[in-house]
Amino acid sequence: MDMLNIGEAAKASGVSAKMIRHYEAIGLLPHAQRSNGNYRIYGPQEVHNLRFIHRARSLGFPLGTIRELLALWRNRQRSSAQVKKLALAHVAALEAKILEMQEMAAALKHLARNCHGDGRPDCPILDGLADPFAEKGKARNGSPA
Amino acid sequence: MDMLNIGEAAKASGVSAKMIRHYEAIGLLPHAQRSNGNYRIYGPQEVHNLRFIHRARSLGFPLGTIRELLALWRNRQRSSAQVKKLALAHVAALEAKILEMQEMAAALKHLARNCHGDGRPDCPILDGLADPFAEKGKARNGSPA
DNA sequence: ATGGTCCTTCCAATCATGGGAAGGTCAAGG
DNA sequence: CCTTGACCTTCCCATGATTGGAAGGACCAT
C-alpha cells in the first residue's frame, strides 16, 4: 500500500535522498521503517511530512524552526498565535537580511558607477575598498606596497 | 616602527585575530613576520591589507573573490574592467538573493495575513506548508496522522 | 548468474566564523 | 626575582545546510 523507497520518496517530496537520511539522523524525522533488505520505506504520511519540510525550507525556514513547526503541526492543542509568531519572526529575519544586502548592493553600485571599466588600472572600486573615505581626492595610487 | 601584534592589528583593521590567522592559513594573506617570541607582527601595510579585506567582506564579497580583488589591487597592470566585472557579478548575485528572499517574505506574509493568530489551532500558515494548493477550501484538517 | 541501478553506512568538503583547551610570552608591580 | 594577568601560540571542534564520494549490500531484469 503505497510504500516507497528513499529514492521514490525523494522524487515525490522534492527532498533529496541524502537530505532525508540527514533529517532522520538529526532527529527532525522519526526513524523510517525498514524493508527486509534494510531499505527505508515511506508511506503517504511520511511523504506528506517530507513535503512539509520541503516547503518550509523553500520559504527559508531554518531546520530548528521547522522542527518547531512540525511539532505544532502535529499538536492539535497548538494555538495559531504560536505558528504566526514563528512565521513573523522569520519574516523579520528575512527582511533584515534583505536590507543588509540591499545596502551592500547600493554601495557597490555607487562605486561601480564611477569606474570607467576600461583597460586602464585606475579604479574607484579598489580605491573605495582600500580607503572608503577617499572618494573625492581621486588621485590615490590604488596599490599597496 | 608601528609594529602591532595580532590583537592590535585586529582592533586596527576590524578583522578578528581568529580570522587573521585563518586568512593566513588559507593563503589569502602572506605569512606574517614573527617576533622573537613567535608572535605575529604587522606593519601599516599589512593592516591596510586587512582593512581592505574587512571592507570587501562587509560588502558581502566571498573570500574567493576577495582573493582576486587583492591580486588586482596589487597588480598595476590590471584593467579597471576586470575589477568592475567582479563587482558587478557580485551585485548580480546579491540582487538574485534579495529577490529570492523577497519572494519568501511575500509568500509568508501572505500566509500570515490570513492567520488570526489567536488561541485556536486553525492556521492557514500550517495549511499552506502542508498543502500550498489548498488556499480556498479552507476546511483541511491541518494535522497529519 | 550477471550487470546495472538502487540502497546502505561512514567520512569529508563546502563557506565563514567562533569557542575553547593547553601551553608559551610579555609587561607590570610586589 | 617572581608572580600575575593579559596576551599570544597551535590544535581541534562546532555551527548550518547540503553535497560528494567510497565501499559494500540489495534488488531486479535479462
Side-chain angles (χ1 to χ4, degrees):
Chain A
M1 59 296 247
D2 263 357
M3 286 318 209
L4 308 179
N5 67 25
I6 201 172
E8 295 162 334
K11 269 173 211 156
S13 66
V15 179
S16 75
K18 274 282 198 203
M19 282 298 99
I20 297 176
R21 291 191 198 98
H22 180 60
Y23 293 157
E24 180 181 324
I26 65 173
L28 191 62
L29 293 170
H31 291 279
Q33 278 186 285
R34 299 295 185 125
S35 72
N36 289 340
N38 199 32
Y39 284 18
R40 286 171 181 82
I41 49 182
Y42 299 89
Q45 187 48 242
E46 284 74 36
V47 173
H48 200 202
N49 274 12
L50 287 170
R51 283 214 203 107
F52 183 98
I53 294 175
H54 180 58
R55 284 186 205 110
R57 282 296 299 136
S58 79
L59 290 175
F61 282 105
L63 293 186
T65 307
I66 293 176
R67 197 184 293 264
E68 302 181 63
L69 289 171
L70 281 168
L72 290 171
W73 191 35
R74 282 187 272 260
N75 173 15
R76 309 206 180 183
Q77 314 310 311
R78 74 184 169 244
S79 67
S80 63
Q82 297 175 280
V83 181
K84 192 167 185 172
K85 187 179 168 190
L86 290 178
L88 292 182
H90 181 50
V91 168
L94 284 170
E95 289 179 340
K97 278 206 178 166
I98 287 167
L99 193 61
E100 192 188 350
M101 298 178 81
Q102 280 174 335
E103 286 167 355
M104 290 175 178
L108 255 175
K109 281 199 271 193
H110 174 69
L111 290 175
R113 206 173 301 125
N114 298 320
C115 176
H116 19 353
D118 56 14
R120 286 171 295 168
D122 244 36
C123 183
I125 300 171
L126 289 180
D127 293 348
L129 289 170
D131 181 355
F133 302 109
E135 186 86 24
K136 298 286 178 185
K138 29 172 57 177
R140 288 180 82 89
N141 66 16
S143 286
Chain B
M1 59 298 247
D2 264 358
M3 285 317 207
L4 308 179
N5 66 26
I6 201 170
E8 295 161 335
K11 270 173 210 156
S13 67
V15 180
S16 75
K18 273 278 198 207
M19 281 299 100
I20 296 176
R21 292 191 197 97
H22 181 60
Y23 293 158
E24 181 182 323
I26 65 174
L28 190 63
L29 293 170
H31 290 279
Q33 277 186 288
R34 298 296 183 124
S35 73
N36 289 340
N38 199 33
Y39 283 19
R40 287 172 182 81
I41 49 182
Y42 298 90
Q45 187 48 242
E46 283 76 35
V47 172
H48 200 203
N49 274 11
L50 287 171
R51 283 214 204 107
F52 183 99
I53 294 174
H54 180 59
R55 286 187 203 107
R57 282 296 299 136
S58 78
L59 289 175
F61 282 105
L63 293 185
T65 307
I66 293 177
R67 197 184 293 265
E68 302 181 63
L69 288 171
L70 282 168
L72 290 171
W73 192 33
R74 282 188 272 261
N75 173 16
R76 307 203 181 186
Q77 315 309 311
R78 73 183 170 245
S79 66
S80 63
Q82 296 175 279
V83 182
K84 193 167 185 173
K85 187 179 169 189
L86 290 179
L88 292 182
H90 181 50
V91 168
L94 284 169
E95 289 180 340
K97 278 206 180 166
I98 287 168
L99 193 62
E100 191 188 350
M101 298 177 81
Q102 281 174 335
E103 286 168 355
M104 290 175 178
L108 256 175
K109 281 199 272 192
H110 174 68
L111 290 176
R113 206 173 302 127
N114 298 321
C115 175
H116 18 353
D118 56 13
R120 286 170 294 168
D122 244 38
C123 183
I125 300 170
L126 288 179
D127 293 346
L129 288 169
D131 182 354
F133 303 108
E135 185 89 24
K136 298 286 179 184
K138 26 173 60 178
R140 286 180 83 89
N141 65 17
S143 287

